[in-house]
Amino acid sequence: MKEFHSRRRVEFADTDMAGIVHFARFFVFMETAEHELLRALGAEVHFEHEGRTVGWPRVEASCRYLSPARLGDVLDVAVRVLKRGRRSMTYGFTIRCAGRRVAEGRTSTVCCVLDQPTGLEPIPIPASLAEKLGEYLATPAESAADRTPESAKL
Amino acid sequence: MKEFHSRRRVEFADTDMAGIVHFARFFVFMETAEHELLRALGAEVHFEHEGRTVGWPRVEASCRYLSPARLGDVLDVAVRVLKRGRRSMTYGFTIRCAGRRVAEGRTSTVCCVLDQPTGLEPIPIPASLAEKLGEYLATPAESAADRTPESAKL
Amino acid sequence: MKEFHSRRRVEFADTDMAGIVHFARFFVFMETAEHELLRALGAEVHFEHEGRTVGWPRVEASCRYLSPARLGDVLDVAVRVLKRGRRSMTYGFTIRCAGRRVAEGRTSTVCCVLDQPTGLEPIPIPASLAEKLGEYLATPAESAADRTPESAKL
Amino acid sequence: MKEFHSRRRVEFADTDMAGIVHFARFFVFMETAEHELLRALGAEVHFEHEGRTVGWPRVEASCRYLSPARLGDVLDVAVRVLKRGRRSMTYGFTIRCAGRRVAEGRTSTVCCVLDQPTGLEPIPIPASLAEKLGEYLATPAESAADRTPESAKL
């Protein structure tokens, strides 16, 4: 399974009074890694499609925390595509620090037109982007074996 | 099932360029509601126990996004106790805006001594607090029926 | 001088590994208090004016930190209008915790059309809102005596 | 005048509903650049000194916003030392995007023992670190000419 890797160093503002990275920040780390993958594939995060602004709101996000990360730690965020739907994507993430597993996460996003006054309108993923994302797509067996926290009741 | 309710208004800094509350902020909303519950029960979030500082690092967090929240929206965050372990708690959350479901989430936290140089050390939840938290404990049937996103593979 | 007061409790995610509120969070506290003032005056933070979206980007912000704030502290954020220009506003803020001064700040904002693809376009503050904001306007003497951190070289 | 440069790309979570980087985030960008400078000099941000934890709480921070930054922009954050006191440091920052000035800021920090239950206790900057920081110290003339927003009334 092909993975995309993104690196970042833990900043002071990422920490909380327990002396470790605040748990909500890991969702930002995952999102940014996903966006770097899109950028590496030549896609914008928000883009114009037939004159409308398209983006990727999340419909689900989860994270399991395995060991704490601290100020100055260099984190490796690995991204893989667990599922590519017609209008949605599911990504799996593994965050490591010097080989140690720090967190595992999963997000599901939907390709949406954002400029609807009444809300967000899902649309099919443009074909050229869908094809590029396929490069990172896990096989069904790999996806089934993936250890990231899956939601049972969606 | 008894629920604790916390209210907050969406702030400008909660939003992102899609014009809606950034998905990671919901985890902060859930955490704060949990802490308000603890406070309502007379407990500190970080407290001294036998001369050591004790807190509640998260081991898992998940959220399902049902409809967007926007600047100025007043959110009601309902908290319930899905599971009370000897050293851990699982909370369920439903976030609503004027009755509309915005998000559902779940977090699992572990009662830990925080001032270990080598990491976090789980300890049993102090008995008096465990008893008070029991007031909000769902029955096993309620917990099984809960619609918050559960992780299948923990 | 008339002041508007906003209250909030310090949340866990506001803190950093030094055990106190992270300094950048105070700018969010000030912004939200300003927005609550606007809301109390019947104005939206982002509003439509002649078919365009108008908002208040900041052109300057400063804060002086006098004493730390910690988890659970209830902060009183006092807002006053130090200067009302034709297209800009300068607000002064004093943040207190149980009477103790925690921080003093100042922000300058410009009334701007936001939906310009090429940038932000300043426009005059709509007359009805300017009039309402005048209610909180300090006299020139009060404004000159104000202790909030002013920028000398703008 | 010697400057230290730090680079970062604007992330989605840095933006707000006006479609630009939220003004409070620039203070995080400045802090991280300061910390990278410390790290480049071989110093930890929080360090042990005579058995106590020492850090750098801010006593003042200011920023002037010159042009908006947007998702994906690569920002160059230049740091210089405007003043080195016995117990405090004043840093100046210029943030640019592809040569365009985005923001200018200034922070003052105090070297403090952090583990005082009653508050923060200022101490002299350890001599070896003070010497290294001197490498980035502006001359009095450069410092006087610096365009970063200075507070007039401290």
Side-chain angles (χ1 to χ4, degrees), chain A:
Chain A
M1 180 168 34
K2 194 171 170 186
E3 284 189 327
F4 176 82
H5 289 267
S6 159
R7 288 169 76 84
R8 64 187 301 147
R9 190 183 284 276
V10 171
E11 300 178 81
F12 197 83
D14 293 330
T15 66
D16 62 33
M17 63 185 279
I20 59 180
V21 173
H22 188 267
F23 82 108
R25 287 297 293 167
F26 286 95
F27 291 97
V28 172
F29 300 171
M30 293 192 276
E31 179 182 52
T32 293
E34 171 200 327
H35 289 172
E36 289 184 7
L37 166 58
L38 290 174
R39 192 174 288 117
L41 296 175
E44 297 288 327
V45 173
H46 275 203
F47 58 94
E48 297 296 314
H49 186 66
E50 301 177 359
R52 306 158 87 188
T53 300
V54 177
W56 298 93
R58 268 106 258 270
V59 289
E60 184 152 10
S62 56
C63 190
R64 188 185 301 137
Y65 304 95
L66 304 171
S67 64
R70 297 177 195 275
L71 178 65
D73 283 353
V74 175
L75 302 179
D76 172 82
V77 186
V79 192
R80 53 202 170 277
V81 174
L82 295 181
K83 195 178 154 195
R84 181 187 54 176
R86 208 170 72 90
R87 303 190 288 197
S88 68
M89 297 294 300
T90 299
Y91 299 96
F93 303 88
T94 305
I95 301 177
R96 293 181 186 84
C97 175
R100 167 175 58 91
R101 273 173 192 263
V102 169
E104 290 171 331
R106 185 180 285 219
T107 60
S108 294
T109 69
V110 177
C111 192
C112 279
V113 171
L114 299 175
D115 44 10
Q116 297 303 301
T118 53
L120 309 166
E121 182 197 327
I123 60 165
I125 300 170
S128 65
L129 178 54
E131 191 187 327
K132 286 177 194 163
L133 283 164
E135 238 185 283
Y136 288 87
L137 184 58
T139 63
E142 284 169 337
S143 201
D146 201 82
R147 310 197 318 178
T148 54
E150 183 192 18
S151 283
K153 300 180 177 179
L154 272 182

Side-chain angles (χ1 to χ4, degrees), chain B residues 4 12 22 35 39 75 94 96 123 131 148:
Chain B
F4 176 82
F12 196 83
H22 188 266
H35 288 172
R39 193 174 289 117
L75 302 179
T94 305
R96 292 181 186 84
I123 60 166
E131 192 187 327
T148 54

Side-chain angles (χ1 to χ4, degrees), chain A residues 22-28 30 58 60-63 65 106-107, chain B residues 8 21-35 58 60-65 77 93 95 103-108 149, chain C residues 11-13:
Chain A
H22 188 267
F23 82 108
R25 287 297 293 167
F26 286 95
F27 291 97
V28 172
M30 293 192 276
R58 268 106 258 270
E60 184 152 10
S62 56
C63 190
Y65 304 95
R106 185 180 285 219
T107 60
Chain B
R8 67 186 299 146
V21 173
H22 188 266
F23 82 107
R25 287 298 292 168
F26 286 95
F27 291 97
V28 172
F29 299 172
M30 293 193 275
E31 179 182 53
T32 293
E34 173 200 325
H35 288 172
R58 267 106 256 271
E60 184 153 7
S62 56
C63 189
R64 188 184 302 137
Y65 304 94
V77 186
F93 303 87
I95 301 178
E104 292 171 330
R106 184 180 285 219
T107 61
S108 294
Chain C
E11 299 177 80
F12 196 83

